[in-house]
Amino acid sequence: MNGLPASGRTSSNMRRRISGYALWLMVLLPTAVAWSAQFQGSIGASSNNVFRGLTQSQNEGSVEADAYLSATHWFGGLTGESVKRLHSEPTSAELIGYVGYRQLLSDDWNAAVSVRHYDYVSTARRSRYDYDELEAAVSWRAQLTVALVASPDTYSAAAYRRFGRGAAFAIELNGREPLPYGLSLDAGIGYYDLRQEVNSGYAYWSAGVGKQWRRWEAALRYTGTNAEARRLFGRLAGDRLVAGITWFF
């Protein structure tokens, strides 16, 4: 599977760039008119950059920074993190721009819709990897969240050299249980449908414990994938222990 023809790749790349620029405008517009917007963010480091069960740092450490503005309903921001897409490549940066709208449904329930653009700014194959996502999520008391994710242009490559770009979908269920002394238990499970890219999909999960102290939070979690993920992606998938620490401002 060699992807799109040259003309298709050109128009596809142009469409992704336009959608990326439009997203930055969408981030700025709601916050510019929201006089009560608040600025917040975080800086952190982890022993591994794991995203949907796969390492994005080749099982090496990663740093991350996030800054965002939020108002009554609108929120938007920018996340930057270190990644290493291929073992033979040097560590590079991934930028994630996002904007969303949230709505309180009742005292216990709320919903949110958000758009994200992923851009691998310092990666040699930048135009191959960048993509967009739309997410719809419903939460109960900020303790249980169900999210549906759809992308029109995700790129993925399997270990046996099958690769492609196209629509991708994910469904996730995440839970968080607060405990005394600033502790919390976290768990999640999801399924990533990459049939248009690698003709299959896979399941992933995580469970861990966190400890919050003032503006700091330390977390230790165990992440895993099913056998299909290991067949598709080799050493990028599998079970691993991830430690991280984050400072919030």
Coordinates of all heavy atoms in Angstrom, one line a residue, residues 29 33 39 44 82 118 122 138 182 246:
L29 N -10.2 33.1 18.6 CA -11.4 33.8 18.5 C -12.3 33.7 19.8 O -12.6 34.8 20.3 CB -12.2 33.4 17.3 CG -13.6 34.1 17.1 CD1 -13.3 35.6 16.9 CD2 -14.3 33.5 15.9
V33 N -12.8 37.1 22.8 CA -14.1 37.7 23.2 C -14.6 37.4 24.5 O -15.6 37.9 25.0 CB -15.2 37.4 22.1 CG1 -14.8 37.9 20.7 CG2 -15.5 35.9 22.1
F39 N -6.2 32.0 32.4 CA -5.0 31.3 31.8 C -4.4 30.3 32.8 O -4.2 30.6 34.0 CB -3.9 32.4 31.5 CG -2.6 31.8 31.0 CD1 -2.6 31.3 29.7 CD2 -1.5 31.8 31.8 CE1 -1.4 30.8 29.2 CE2 -0.3 31.2 31.3 CZ -0.3 30.7 30.0
G44 N 5.6 19.2 32.7 CA 5.8 17.9 33.3 C 6.9 17.1 32.5 O 7.4 17.4 31.5
S82 N 7.9 16.2 23.7 CA 9.0 15.6 22.9 C 8.6 14.2 22.5 O 8.0 13.5 23.2 CB 10.3 15.5 23.8 OG 10.1 14.8 25.0
Y118 N -2.7 18.0 15.3 CA -1.4 17.5 15.7 C -0.4 17.8 14.7 O -0.6 17.5 13.5 CB -1.4 15.9 15.9 CG -2.4 15.4 17.0 CD1 -3.8 15.4 16.8 CD2 -1.9 15.0 18.2 CE1 -4.6 14.9 17.7 CE2 -2.8 14.5 19.2 CZ -4.2 14.5 18.9 OH -5.0 14.0 19.9
S122 N 9.2 19.6 14.1 CA 10.7 19.4 13.8 C 11.0 18.0 13.3 O 12.2 17.6 13.4 CB 11.5 19.7 15.1 OG 11.1 18.9 16.2
V138 N -18.7 12.9 27.2 CA -19.7 13.1 28.3 C -19.1 12.6 29.6 O -18.5 11.5 29.7 CB -21.0 12.3 28.0 CG1 -22.0 12.5 29.1 CG2 -21.6 12.8 26.7
G182 N -4.8 13.4 49.2 CA -4.4 13.9 47.9 C -4.2 12.8 46.9 O -3.7 13.0 45.8
T246 N 4.2 16.4 37.3 CA 3.7 17.6 36.7 C 3.5 18.7 37.7 O 3.1 18.5 38.8 CB 2.3 17.3 36.1 OG1 2.4 16.2 35.2 CG2 1.8 18.5 35.3

